[in-house]
Amino acid sequence: MNDPLLQTFKLKHLNLKNRIITTSHEPAYNEDGMPKDRYIAYHLERAKGGIAMTMTAGSAVVSKDSPPSFDNIHAFKDEVVPWIKKLTNAIHDQDCAVMIQLTHLGRRTSWNKGDWLPSLSSGKHREPAHRSFPKLVENWDIERIIKEYGNAAERMKEGGMDGIELEAQGHLIGQFLSPLTNELDSKYGGSFDNRLRFTFDILSEIRKKVGERFIVGIRCVFDEVQDNGISSAEGFKIAKLLSASGKIDYLNINRGRIHTDPLLTKHIPIQGMKSAPHLDFAGSIKKEINLPIFHASKISDVATARYAISNGLVDMIGMTRAHLADPYIVKKILEKKEDDIRPCVGATYCLDRIYQGEEALCIHNAATGRELKMPNIISLAKKKKKVVIVGAGPGGLEAARVAADRGHEVIVFEAASNAGGQIRLSAKSKRRKDMLGIIDWRIAQCSKKNVKFNFNLYAESKDIINEDSDIVIIATGGTPNLELFETKKELPHVFSSWDIISGDIKPAENILIYDEAGDHAAMQSAEIAIEEGSTVEFMTPDRLISPEIMGMNLTPYLKNLQNKNITYTIAKRLLGVSLEGNKLKALIGSDYGTFKYNAIYDQIILNYGTKPLDELYFDLVPLSINEGEVNYEKLIEGKEQNIIKNNINKFNLYRIGDAVSSRNIHAAIYDALRLVKEI
Ligand SMILES: Cc1cc2nc3c(=O)[nH]c(=O)nc-3n(C[C@H](O)[C@H](O)[C@H](O)COP(=O)(O)O)c2cc1C
Ligand code: SF4
């Protein structure tokens, strides 16, 4: 047990069994604002995986006028207490500490949620990310909210929580703290001491309600890294005052601002960005301040976490997204199976989704958030079967991994010379090369279980029949779709986004990229074309560009394409393409009008999803027991399939991922997991 990560830590009276935690993150799994069974199962899985402490809630809201824009827990309601009790009992049974983050979101929310009360703030300007114009906080609001913090903390103590953490970055407390968002001319605005008063009044109220034997921490911004914002010097002063107050048991160090997509992405870096960018800053506070220090920000791998602890930069290290990808990190460290940890590839599908009002899901762990039905640990099948999988993209590889974990004999056919499918195209962008982790981890897991791979083999039905298997899974993916609804046939003279990304086609001088799918491939093509010196018109029939990419993932594209030769054209539809000398003539219209016009380009690139590569599947349908049919009720419940259409045939046939219809990586992996876990 010399591993620094496995050393215990005493947080006041609380014994933490190791140094790894998950920091607060709202997965939006609550039901009616209560952390019910799905929510509990999610945290319980991570507790079983061995973390020392789980910080629940992406800030449970303390007041009614903090509308729960992330489906936050309603900490302002008494009815929350029994649910919190159920949650804390389950987590404590795993010898894991459990706390909850409390907040008032201030302007970081929308008024059209919950009870439709106006959002409020210490300043009148709206937060760009949530768009609501807040009312300027009044004295009676301040008095009320301070009390509501105290009441919420008391409820959490009654529910058996080990402690609470205040969120003080970008939320109401943070808005009061920052000169950039505090315009009050009362005793709560203006000077440094006045801006800090709200924080200390809340802390006093909380201590009055919960006493000393209850952990109270604060997740605070100690450097806003913005002119006229909280400077690091002011941040150090805040840290010292918090420490001297005796009201706080630890500091959770944050740096930067979160009110726009680019700044949020800087604070919580996504793939292709620097690892652990704020760790040294956290370490510099630890050197000065005599309080336990917590920190999280892209500490995605065990080696970096170990470095943070062994170098004394922090006391507790947050590996939050890492645990969305693999809840069993600590157990795998203990069992000396670090190689088996499913890597967080920084895709930030999880966080981007909650800003779209969806639940958090991990791009390549379909069990996350579905713990009541989907396993992280696959159980052995009662009977060993032979499973043939065609296609080694993310869906096919997930099917192979899960089938192998079930103890089956697994054979994979792949037409290409290597595994990965469309993920290899994503990883052509240097920034997105970590996506290969999705493939590499599965290949490594399959190798450990002796899965047999046949590359460079375009399987035909005779190859499948020769294998004499029990199960056949078609995961052949798709090919770029070049047929628009309006053209009824493949557009002539155009190339696909894949042609540009793969490098098969060099971008010409003057290009139209027509994006009707709204996903990464169009933006990726635009980046490549711009890098090659092209002039690009990026056109979509939608009213927004790239609706499938979402805020944090769109950020690097929009940054790279600023001030370049690209124009964005929304609400225009490509209707046809013809040759005009050695150029291409595009016929363009719009859903918003009846006009049409022509435009001339050197090259037209189409991004319109994929069409399924399903020939083999349809060849095999009549030869299979179930004729390809899936019982959706059983699939949704994660139960064994039971359709028999034809008793003479020998194998069951299934089709997953883009071989069914053009979707995304998560969909392909979820298709595979929920089907194969019962095979
Ligand atoms: C889905 C999701 C929701 C989050 N919600 C919150 C939140 O409500 N409050 C908070 O302080 N941090 C929140 N975070 C940020 C995390 O606590 C953490 O700081 C961030 O993910 C960086 O750490 P990591 O790189 O270990 O994931 C959220 C993160 C995720 C992934
Ligand atoms: S979606 Fe990406 S960033 Fe989020 S947990 Fe999964 S792998 Fe990590």
Side-chain angles (χ1 to χ4, degrees), residues 321 324-325 344-350 361-364:
R321 281 171 294 174
L324 275 135
C344 171
V345 299
T348 313
Y349 185 63
C350 48
L361 294 172
C362 172
I363 197 165
H364 81 126

Side-chain angles (χ1 to χ4, degrees), residues 5 11 18 48 56 92 132 216 352 369 427 439 476 508 571 638 674:
L5 287 174
L11 179 63
N18 58 55
K48 284 181 182 164
T56 61
H92 283 147
S132 66
V216 177
D352 258 342
I439 299 305
T476 39
R674 59 180 164 177

Side-chain angles (χ1 to χ4, degrees), residues 21-28 42 57-60 70 72 101 105 165 167 169 171 219 252 254 267-269 295-300 318-324 344 348 350-352 354-355 360-361:
I21 58 171
T22 53
T23 52
S24 160
H25 55 293
E26 182 50 74
Y42 168 78
S59 348
F70 304 102
N72 315 57
Q101 192 185 58
L105 290 158
E165 177 181 272
E167 213 289 359
Q169 180 193 30
H171 296 203
R219 186 169 214 192
N252 191 346
N254 274 5
H267 166 62
I268 303 179
H295 175 65
S297 189
K298 205 174 183 211
I299 288 114
S300 322
M319 295 184 76
T320 305
R321 281 171 294 174
H323 276 84
L324 275 135
C344 171
T348 313
C350 48
L351 193 51
D352 258 342
I354 67 160
Y355 284 96
L361 294 172

Side-chain angles (χ1 to χ4, degrees), residues 43-56:
H43 281 284
L44 180 59
E45 190 81 356
R46 269 127 274 265
K48 284 181 182 164
I51 47 172
M53 190 267 284
T54 184
M55 181 71 66
T56 61

Side-chain angles (χ1 to χ4, degrees), residues 478-482 490 496-499 606 608-611:
T479 51
N481 184 14
L482 299 179
E490 286 203 351
S496 74
S497 48
W498 292 21
D499 292 325
L606 207 61
Y608 189 32
T610 54
K611 54 181 188 208

Side-chain angles (χ1 to χ4, degrees), residues 378-625:
I378 307 293
S379 59
L380 273 178
K382 288 198 189 87
K383 186 171 162 238
K384 181 167 176 161
K385 293 178 184 161
K386 184 168 179 183
V387 180
V388 166
I389 295 160
V390 188
L397 287 179
E398 175 73 347
R401 175 190 80 87
V402 178
D405 278 356
R406 297 276 289 151
H408 300 314
E409 178 189 352
V410 184
I411 298 174
V412 180
F413 291 107
E414 168 58 53
S417 57
N418 51 21
Q422 288 180 55
I423 286 185
R424 291 219 171 263
L425 284 179
S426 308
K428 288 267 179 186
S429 279
K430 253 205 314 224
R431 203 181 63 234
R432 301 190 71 212
K433 72 176 175 7
D434 285 353
M435 292 296 276
L436 289 177
I438 295 173
I439 299 305
D440 295 344
W441 178 73
R442 287 180 169 76
I443 292 277
Q445 294 292 298
C446 286
S447 302
K448 285 188 182 177
K449 296 272 161 73
N450 299 319
V451 171
K452 199 171 144 209
F453 285 93
N454 296 296
F455 290 109
N456 300 308
L457 200 147
Y458 194 94
E460 295 178 10
S461 56
K462 67 174 177 3
D463 302 308
I464 306 299
I465 292 156
N466 284 347
E467 288 297 335
D468 199 19
S469 64
D470 303 293
I471 308 285
V472 176
I473 298 173
I474 304 297
T476 39
T479 51
N481 184 14
L482 299 179
E483 178 189 324
L484 298 178
F485 171 76
E486 292 74 21
T487 59
K488 303 283 185 281
K489 58 180 177 21
E490 286 203 351
L491 272 172
H493 320 301
V494 302
F495 294 110
S496 74
S497 48
W498 292 21
D499 292 325
I500 291 283
I501 298 167
S502 63
D504 288 349
I505 294 297
K506 211 174 141 35
E509 206 175 312
N510 174 28
I511 305 187
L512 171 69
I513 296 178
Y514 180 70
D515 181 22
E516 201 168 331
D519 57 14
H520 281 273
M523 271 285 161
Q524 206 179 345
S525 313
E527 262 187 355
I528 293 168
I530 288 291
E531 255 170 49
E532 296 276 328
S534 309
T535 298
V536 175
E537 179 171 359
F538 189 97
M539 182 183 287
T540 171
D542 295 322
R543 57 192 160 85
L544 302 167
I545 58 160
S546 307
E548 303 299 324
I549 303 185
M550 304 190 278
M552 293 177 80
N553 271 279
L554 197 55
T555 292
Y557 291 116
L558 292 186
K559 270 182 146 174
N560 287 346
L561 295 172
Q562 288 299 312
N563 296 325
K564 300 281 164 61
N565 285 335
I566 182 163
T567 50
Y568 300 98
T569 305
I570 57 160
K572 295 283 189 305
R573 191 174 277 288
L574 182 63
L575 300 173
V577 175
S578 56
L579 280 178
E580 176 95 348
N582 60 353
K583 307 256 177 193
L584 296 178
K585 184 163 80 178
L587 177 65
I588 295 163
S590 170
D591 299 349
Y592 298 87
T594 51
F595 61 90
K596 288 192 178 90
Y597 66 96
N598 288 312
I600 302 291
Y601 303 94
D602 296 324
Q603 196 176 52
I604 296 179
I605 307 297
L606 207 61
N607 186 54
Y608 189 32
T610 54
K611 54 181 188 208
L613 261 174
D614 52 13
E615 202 180 319
L616 175 62
Y617 168 78
F618 284 110
D619 286 349
L620 292 172
V621 163
L623 309 176
S624 65
I625 297 169

